[in-house]
Amino acid sequence: MIIMENIIKSYKIAKEDLHVLSHINLTIQTGEFAAIMGPSGSGKSTLMNLIGCLDTPTSGNYYFAGENVASYKDEDLARIRNSSIGFVFQHFQLLPRLSALKNVELPMIYAGISKSERRDRSEEALRKVGLADRMDHLPNALSGGQKQRVAIARAIVNEPKLLLADEPTGALDSKTSETIMEQFTKLNDEGATIILVTHEAEIASYAKRTITVRDGRIVSESGGIT
Amino acid sequence: MSLMENLLMAVGSLQAHKLRSLLTMLGIIIGVGAVIIVVAIGQGGEAMLKSQIAGSGNTIELFYQPSNEEIAANPNIYNQAPFSQEDIRLVETIPGVKQVVATSSAFSTVRFREKTSDSSAIGINQAYLDVNDIEIAKGRGFAASDFISGRRVTMISSFMQEELFEGKSPIGEIIRIGAQPVEIIGVLKKPTGLLAFGSVEAYLPYNTWKTIFAKNEITQITLQAESADQIKRIGQTAAKKVNLLHGTEDSYQVINMEEIAQGLGQITKIMTLIIGSIAGISLFVGGIGVMNIMLVSVTERTREIGIRMALGATRKQVLTQFLIESMTLTLIGGIVGIVIGWGTSALISFFAGWPSLISWQVVAGGVLFSMIIGIVFGLLPANKAAKLNPIESLRYE
Ligand SMILES: Nc1ncnc2c1ncn2[C@@H]1O[C@H](COP(=O)(O)OP(=O)(O)OP(=O)(O)O)[C@@H](O)[C@H]1O
Ligand SMILES: [Mg+2]
């Protein structure tokens, strides 16, 4: 599914190159459920943004579903994000003025899907995450767990190849976190490829593989598919 | 993503801040509204002036402008009527002339019992009634027989009625014009409108006028053409013939409508220029207001932009979204401005009696122009939105 070769990400700060990620080599197969762990500031989010085509590496090759996207332009990256990647964020990132249903419809608007099909598919996605009775609620009228489930519905509605979640339970209590993680497990069982970032071992334990990042390098791996 | 989708989204965003959107539109509303009012009234006025000069019923007036030699030879020339019956017979024969309106005026004191009034007594022929639409408020108008027999009957203006009769019905009363008794058979309607000036007048059939004043002379001759495109030719022919008859060089003339049209065009041009620049400034200021609010909106919605980009919106789509939003803002403002401008000019027409004219070109121009303002002034904010970095935008508090 994804192959990263010698990925480097650096920022120029005060005329000096600050390497946030150095020499990352990473392969994720289709159907995997991987957790990226590591201390704060180690580069987890930066790595996730690269995987999610929100950012491009300073150097190295990144093959996403066979395409080398490392030097892709903004337009192409947007197309890949839209069709092939679903994002779940720590802070839900729902549009506050839109109902749950309309939020879930968003990625399909940019995919150019017709209104009626959008509606059907959004309803189905929301039903899948157990929010059939909350479709017309605004995000404000939903609990944290419900908001995150709307976000998951939005992430899966375009049937992406890859589901990315950066600390999806970071803003939730442990009970709610559990239901969210069960949701991810269920999606993985149905065949979804999932990568999530967390610094809680308990959350990481839902994943089948754990990748640990420290100071911008992958320092250990466990449970990977061989 | 379709235009309709974008429009709905834009309306949704604008509805989220109703008051703000309305206040932002105000500049555009006022600017466009002012333009519409001014253009409507300007065009209405122009049309009215043109029709008055050209004569609404395909008419053209023959007038006498004595040369310096003629004035030197006869200093009293202005007090003498310039035309005679002979002139009428002469111009009547010009092909294309439908009829000739002749009037003769004299100042006279009009008396009813002990009341007197200084009035003009105007002798008219039957053609006058055909060409000028005279509205009668009370009584009846002249009959054909009145003209032929020279009956002692008169129609008076409403102002004369006010002066001599104080609201009482004058129909059937006998007034004295000079010393001669005349019966009132009708009262004319009070003229309406800004440009209608009322005067104290008594109209008489020409033959009546002739016997009362013991004069056989014509003050004014107006030709009515069979069709509009003949007016110019008829006017020139008539002037030439009358000059020949009187042995004058160029003293009898008709109004040169081309010159007047040119003069009018000049005035309109200057007016358009002045008003255009005022409207331009107000729309420019309105546009700056739109730009300002759109910049604020982009900053406020940084996170929304980040989310949309993460979900697959391209920079072009974000740019389009904000352009359409600012365009919708100014378009709604423009449409409201047009409606308000339309209503206001209709009100002005109603109360001031000045015609207003709203052409579809003006409406289309207003719509188009307000859309262009939205696009031009939305470009900077939309570009700012499109250039945002999705990662940083998602982190924006
Ligand atoms: N735009 C940037 N410019 C400069 N430095 C950056 C930028 N983005 C991230 N960094 C730096 O890169 C490092 C890694 O950041 P990153 O957000 O990936 O960490 P993280 O592992 O996700 O941390 P956390 O667990 O706190 O979320 C940090 O030291 C951060 O300061
Ligand atoms: Mg992070």
mmCIF file of all heavy atoms in Angstrom, chain A residues 44-45 166-167 197, ligand 2:
data_model
loop_
_atom_site.group_PDB
_atom_site.id
_atom_site.type_symbol
_atom_site.label_atom_id
_atom_site.label_comp_id
_atom_site.label_asym_id
_atom_site.label_seq_id
_atom_site.Cartn_x
_atom_site.Cartn_y
_atom_site.Cartn_z
ATOM 1 N N LYS A 44 5.851 12.321 14.918
ATOM 2 C CA LYS A 44 4.742 11.436 14.531
ATOM 3 C C LYS A 44 3.768 12.148 13.592
ATOM 4 O O LYS A 44 3.398 11.616 12.539
ATOM 5 C CB LYS A 44 3.972 10.960 15.788
ATOM 6 C CG LYS A 44 4.821 10.282 16.841
ATOM 7 C CD LYS A 44 3.985 9.782 17.993
ATOM 8 C CE LYS A 44 3.285 10.892 18.784
ATOM 9 N NZ LYS A 44 4.215 11.735 19.567
ATOM 10 N N SER A 45 3.369 13.332 14.009
ATOM 11 C CA SER A 45 2.393 14.060 13.185
ATOM 12 C C SER A 45 2.991 14.418 11.838
ATOM 13 O O SER A 45 2.317 14.356 10.803
ATOM 14 C CB SER A 45 1.927 15.320 13.908
ATOM 15 O OG SER A 45 1.189 14.954 15.045
ATOM 16 N N ASP A 166 -4.745 10.755 13.611
ATOM 17 C CA ASP A 166 -3.711 11.338 14.476
ATOM 18 C C ASP A 166 -4.318 11.587 15.852
ATOM 19 O O ASP A 166 -5.089 12.524 16.037
ATOM 20 C CB ASP A 166 -3.193 12.638 13.858
ATOM 21 C CG ASP A 166 -1.893 13.092 14.509
ATOM 22 O OD1 ASP A 166 -1.549 12.557 15.586
ATOM 23 O OD2 ASP A 166 -1.226 13.979 13.941
ATOM 24 N N GLU A 167 -3.953 10.741 16.782
ATOM 25 C CA GLU A 167 -4.481 10.803 18.149
ATOM 26 C C GLU A 167 -6.000 10.920 18.172
ATOM 27 O O GLU A 167 -6.544 11.879 18.725
ATOM 28 C CB GLU A 167 -3.847 11.973 18.904
ATOM 29 C CG GLU A 167 -2.336 11.948 18.761
ATOM 30 C CD GLU A 167 -1.603 12.494 19.977
ATOM 31 O OE1 GLU A 167 -2.190 12.484 21.065
ATOM 32 O OE2 GLU A 167 -0.442 12.899 19.820
ATOM 33 N N VAL A 197 -1.865 7.416 15.141
ATOM 34 C CA VAL A 197 -0.813 7.939 16.015
ATOM 35 C C VAL A 197 -1.376 8.010 17.423
ATOM 36 O O VAL A 197 -2.522 8.422 17.619
ATOM 37 C CB VAL A 197 -0.372 9.342 15.563
ATOM 38 C CG1 VAL A 197 0.449 10.026 16.638
ATOM 39 C CG2 VAL A 197 0.401 9.276 14.262
HETATM 40 MG MG MG C 2 1.331 15.219 16.938
#
